[in-house]
Amino acid sequence: MKKLLCVLAIAGMAPSAMGAVFWASARGVDALPPHQIHSFDMNGVLMNSIDQVAGAQSSAWGYRDGAYDGNLMYFGWENGLASHNADGSGGTQIFFGGAPGGVGTWRALAFDPTGDGGNGSFWVASFASNLIEVDMSGSLLNSFASVASLYGLAFDDSDGNLFGHDTDGAVVKISTADGSLMAGGWSSGFPNLEAQGGLSGYSELGGNLAAVSQGAPDELGVYDSSSGILVGGPWDMEGQTGTNGHLGIAVVPGPGALALLGLGALVSRRRRRR
């Protein structure tokens, strides 16, 4: 059964009021370790840089896309999945080896709070691989045939489906019920894009998506998910970090957004039956 997650929107809340922090994964300068995650503020200004876990340092690229579950950030690569605290500390490898179902690299990544009967799950894909869902221990729950070349994924909490970052930076909408394409996508708004990068939900209240553009330079931007219009950036990450290997993104909402959710958001969930 198709799941539905309905969130009460707070009218008139500007994205800049949320105070989100954008964590972008990137390989090291000159493609050499240490690979890091870099935090950027609401104006796209670099705030901090933290090393990726040891298991990712032997990768040529390190972490790919990221996700956030309200407590921890997650980033995947070809040999595992790692978690970090919301401030970037406490990096720990939690899954070892490639993603199941023939996917391999934990590339496009989204956390689904309603997955696995409400226990939470991850949606994962690697370019034109199958789109899979795994539980919080990494075991395969669902697998759907590819409908896009996915580098980034983000959970859409307005309807329980997914946004995906496809070829040439196009954003597509994908059903979590059967993996099919849905209405609601748009073309890239990045002027310097060469390849799609990561994608991550911006906040439950704002309905926005942070996206990485792999280009010249690598850029970070924020889409209004209801219109497909860039409402933040694009910001040059490459000029601030000194590397051209920015790949994935995880967004940590600011305390204002989390407080409003706790006080005013009414959530009604209809979960899929397994």
Side-chain angles (χ1 to χ4, degrees):
M1 180 185 293
K2 180 181 176 182
K3 62 184 175 181
L4 184 64
L5 179 68
C6 297
V7 177
L8 177 67
I10 307 299
M13 179 59 65
S16 61
M18 300 301 180
V21 176
F22 306 103
W23 285 93
S25 63
R27 66 178 180 177
V29 176
D30 296 326
L32 299 173
H35 307 315
Q36 296 184 312
I37 52 174
H38 305 282
S39 62
F40 297 85
D41 67 15
M42 289 295 304
N43 297 309
V45 177
L46 179 66
M47 297 190 300
N48 197 10
S49 299
I50 292 178
D51 286 356
Q52 297 176 18
V53 299
Q57 297 298 339
S58 60
S59 166
W61 291 89
Y63 293 167
R64 272 55 162 208
D65 196 22
Y68 180 64
D69 70 358
N71 181 39
L72 296 173
M73 296 187 294
Y74 302 91
F75 290 90
W77 69 103
E78 61 267 33
N79 289 316
L81 190 78
S83 66
H84 287 259
N85 296 322
D87 64 359
S89 65
T92 303
Q93 185 168 352
I94 59 172
F95 297 168
F96 292 80
V103 172
T105 299
W106 302 82
R107 191 179 307 275
L109 184 70
F111 173 74
D112 181 344
T114 70
D116 192 22
N119 293 311
S121 64
F122 294 109
W123 290 94
V124 187
S126 181
F127 293 125
S129 76
N130 281 3
L131 171 67
I132 63 169
E133 182 184 17
V134 302
D135 65 19
M136 299 303 289
S137 65
S139 297
L140 186 66
L141 296 173
N142 279 304
S143 181
F144 301 122
S146 172
V147 293
S149 180
L150 295 171
Y151 205 107
L153 281 169
F155 181 73
D156 182 357
D157 55 15
S158 72
D159 62 9
N161 295 302
L162 299 169
F163 288 106
H165 218 182
D166 192 13
T167 305
D168 297 326
V171 176
V172 295
K173 194 74 181 288
I174 302 173
S175 168
T176 53
D178 60 11
S180 63
L181 286 176
M182 306 171 65
W186 58 84
S187 298
S188 172
F190 289 99
N192 299 306
L193 182 136
E194 295 179 356
Q196 71 273 34
L199 197 67
S200 188
Y202 176 79
S203 78
E204 289 85 347
L205 298 178
N208 297 302
L209 295 171
V212 172
S213 161
Q214 299 188 62
D218 293 338
E219 293 178 317
L220 167 64
V222 178
Y223 287 110
D224 179 333
S225 62
S226 65
S227 67
I229 295 173
L230 276 170
V231 295
W235 299 296
D236 178 359
M237 295 185 290
E238 190 172 325
Q240 298 182 73
T241 66
T243 179
N244 65 352
H246 301 89
L247 303 172
I249 187 76
V251 183
V252 176
L258 296 176
L260 282 171
L261 278 172
L263 292 172
L266 301 178
V267 179
S268 174
R269 294 178 179 174
R270 187 176 70 208
R271 298 190 179 98
R272 290 167 292 156
R273 295 175 183 169
R274 297 204 177 280

